[in-house]
């Protein structure tokens, strides 16, 4: 913001420049002029659902949108935005994941809960597991291979458990990362089916090899400080996309000696600012500070193509591909479906 010669100049990252002329009388003021680069408008977004709670993420399960809705618990919503089941009421749910036929919910100081679904009984609690560190809340989950569930505990540690066929969780490993993790730092699915990634603030991306007997740290880290709102990693079975300092890079083999020397590059038309999520052939970058969702075509990961940038209510914090559509969870702004 700046003032000069009777004008007020207001500039923002995404909003362009506002110029307001003011008179001596505070009653008279011209309408501000506004300019910014226009989106290509390839996608449309509509709000599916909102509530009083802070919505962290949304997944699909048994035909429902399962929503981690903060203080509103875990909600099962139909495709019209109607709440059909209220789960984990009275608890704070910061993440929800599905796998091996079960629903896993991160419920803060109440640990990680396991739910199953029955047509007659609805959602039924099967088990609950707490961190070895008492009173430290569970923040984020990742469903890995061989029945393994990863749980971000507080800001420094990752707990690992294995789910049984009857829905019981058993601790198998506990990893002290010796670094600081911010909020949504666990990467899924596994890169090449066996490497699990997480993003920390001071080390960047670290990778762990998953084996039946536990977790093995690999030698690969990005090795540079990352921004928890504008950087991150997203993986597929074939490759991982790393976003760092408004640059884009593809990683295919972390066992190579030059893996840390990635070819970071810009993408024409894209800001490359946000936490990355891979939704089919699209890379979705969500930026909670700017309230933007950026969509990049990565059908050919080595040649990413910017497609669109949208502004949403609230602060977008996660994206999932549900029924062929991009579903973005936006905190108190609700859940958006982009198509």
């Amino acid at each position: 913001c700046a003032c000069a010669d009777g004008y007020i100049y207001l500039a923002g990252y995404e909003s362009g420049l506002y110029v307001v002329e003011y008179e001596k009388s505070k009653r008279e003021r011209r309408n501000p002029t506004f300019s910014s680069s226009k989106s290509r408008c390839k996608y449309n977004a509509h709000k599916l659902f909102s509530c009083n709670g802070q919505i962290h993420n949304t997944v699909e399960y048994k035909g429902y949108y399962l929503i981690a809705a903060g203080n509103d618990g875990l909600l099962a919503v139909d495709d019209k935005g109607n709440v059909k089941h209220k789960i984990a009421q009275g608890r704070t749910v910061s993440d929800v994941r599905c796998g091996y036929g079960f629903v896993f919910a991160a419920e803060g100081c109440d640990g990680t809960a396991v739910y199953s679904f029955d047509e007659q009984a609805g959602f039924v609690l099967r088990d609950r597991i707490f961190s070895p560190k008492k009173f430290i809340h569970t923040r984020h989950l990742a469903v890995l291979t061989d029945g393994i569930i990863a749980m971000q505990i507080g800001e420094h540690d990752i707990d690992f458990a294995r789910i049984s066929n009857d829905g019981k969780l058993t601790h198998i490993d506990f990893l002290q990362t010796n670094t600081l993790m911010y909020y949504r730092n666990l990467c899924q699915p596994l890169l090449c089916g066996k490497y699990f990634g997480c993003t920390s603030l001071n080390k960047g991306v670290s990778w762990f090899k998953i084996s039946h007997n536990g977790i093995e740290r690999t030698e690969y880290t990005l090795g540079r400080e990352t921004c928890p709102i504008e950087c991150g990693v997203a993986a597929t079975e074939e490759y991982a996309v790393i976003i760092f300092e408004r640059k884009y890079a593809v990683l295919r083999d972390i066992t190579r000696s030059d893996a840390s020397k990635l070819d970071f590059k810009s993408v024409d038309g894209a800001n490359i600012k946000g936490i990355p999520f891979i939704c089919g052939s699209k890379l979705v970058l969500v930026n909670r500070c700017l309230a933007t969702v950026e969509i990049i075509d990565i059908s050919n990961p080595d040649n990413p193509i910017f497609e669109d940038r949208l502004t949403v209510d609230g602060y977008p914090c996660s994206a999932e591909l549900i029924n062929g559509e991009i579903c973005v969870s936006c905190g108190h702004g609700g859940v958006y479906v982009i198509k």
Side-chain angles (χ1 to χ4, degrees):
C1 177
C3 300
D5 300 324
Y7 293 92
I8 301 174
Y9 298 87
L10 303 171
Y13 288 109
E14 295 291 323
S15 58
L17 178 67
Y18 285 91
V19 182
V20 180
E21 182 182 8
Y22 61 91
E23 308 292 342
K24 291 182 178 180
S25 171
K26 294 182 179 179
R27 299 177 185 176
E28 299 179 6
R29 186 178 64 183
R30 296 184 183 180
N31 292 328
T33 59
F34 167 73
S35 64
S36 68
S37 58
K38 294 185 177 180
S39 166
R40 302 185 183 188
C41 299
K42 184 173 182 178
Y43 292 86
N44 294 310
H46 75 272
K47 187 178 293 189
L48 172 72
F49 176 78
S50 63
C51 62
N52 292 326
Q54 178 180 344
I55 296 176
H56 297 273
N57 79 305
T58 306
V59 298
E60 190 276 335
Y61 182 75
K62 302 289 186 180
Y64 294 110
Y65 291 85
L66 275 185
I67 300 173
N71 293 335
D72 280 2
L74 182 61
L75 304 175
V77 175
D78 66 14
D79 58 2
K80 304 297 182 183
N82 302 311
V83 177
K84 295 300 184 180
H85 298 275
K86 294 182 178 181
I87 315 141
Q89 294 301 285
R91 303 183 188 276
T92 300
V93 180
S94 62
D95 197 20
V96 58
R97 297 291 161 186
C98 301
Y100 305 105
F102 299 102
V103 175
F104 305 93
E107 299 185 358
C109 290
D110 293 314
T112 301
V114 183
Y115 297 93
S116 61
F117 180 76
D118 180 84
E119 290 292 345
Q120 301 297 323
F123 287 86
V124 179
L125 178 66
R126 303 297 295 271
D127 196 14
R128 184 180 300 278
I129 193 170
F130 294 88
S131 163
K133 288 189 173 182
K134 301 279 186 191
F135 311 114
I136 304 298
H137 58 285
T138 305
R139 308 181 72 173
H140 191 198
L141 305 173
V143 177
L144 309 180
T145 188
D146 197 26
I148 299 175
I149 311 300
M151 299 162 280
Q152 180 183 335
I153 307 299
E155 298 172 340
H156 304 281
D157 306 311
I158 304 175
D159 191 15
F160 295 89
R162 179 172 282 113
I163 187 74
S164 65
N165 292 333
D166 60 352
K168 301 299 181 182
L169 283 172
T170 304
H171 284 288
I172 60 170
D173 208 343
F174 187 80
L175 180 66
Q176 294 179 309
T177 63
N178 298 317
T179 184
L180 179 64
M181 297 186 294
Y182 177 65
Y183 173 48
R184 309 191 69 82
N185 299 100
L186 306 185
C187 174
Q188 54 189 334
L190 295 177
L191 172 61
C192 301
K194 56 185 176 181
Y195 295 106
F196 164 64
C198 74
T199 307
S200 63
L201 272 67
N202 57 340
K203 286 187 178 180
V205 183
S206 298
W207 297 93
F208 309 90
K209 185 176 181 180
I210 306 296
S211 65
H212 182 77
N213 296 324
I215 315 302
E216 303 171 13
R217 181 185 290 274
T218 70
E219 295 181 356
Y220 174 73
T221 62
L222 184 60
R224 288 176 286 183
E225 185 173 345
T226 58
C227 172
I229 296 173
E230 297 181 351
C231 302
V233 57
T236 70
E237 287 285 343
E238 292 80 28
Y239 61 89
V241 169
I242 298 176
I243 302 299
F244 180 70
E245 291 186 341
R246 301 189 66 178
K247 301 287 186 178
Y248 166 103
V250 176
L251 173 67
R252 287 189 169 84
D253 186 358
I254 68 173
T255 63
R256 291 181 46 160
S257 60
D258 61 347
S260 61
K261 300 176 182 179
L262 297 175
D263 181 21
F264 283 95
K265 60 184 178 182
S266 301
V267 177
D268 185 35
N271 283 336
I272 311 295
K273 296 176 68 173
I275 301 174
F277 295 87
I278 295 177
C279 298
S281 62
K282 311 298 179 184
L283 176 67
V284 182
L285 301 177
V286 299
N287 191 307
R288 59 188 298 162
C289 285
L290 305 179
T292 58
V293 178
E294 194 163 73
I295 302 174
I296 299 171
D297 187 346
I298 54 170
S299 299
N300 178 0
D302 296 313
N303 184 31
I305 300 173
F306 169 68
E307 290 194 332
D308 209 346
R309 185 182 306 113
L310 303 95
T311 301
V312 294
D313 293 336
Y315 35 93
C317 49
S318 67
E320 294 279 343
L321 188 66
I322 299 178
N323 299 326
E325 301 171 339
I326 299 170
C327 186
V328 180
S329 299
C330 300
H332 293 291
V335 177
Y336 279 84
V337 174
I338 299 174
K339 58 182 178 179

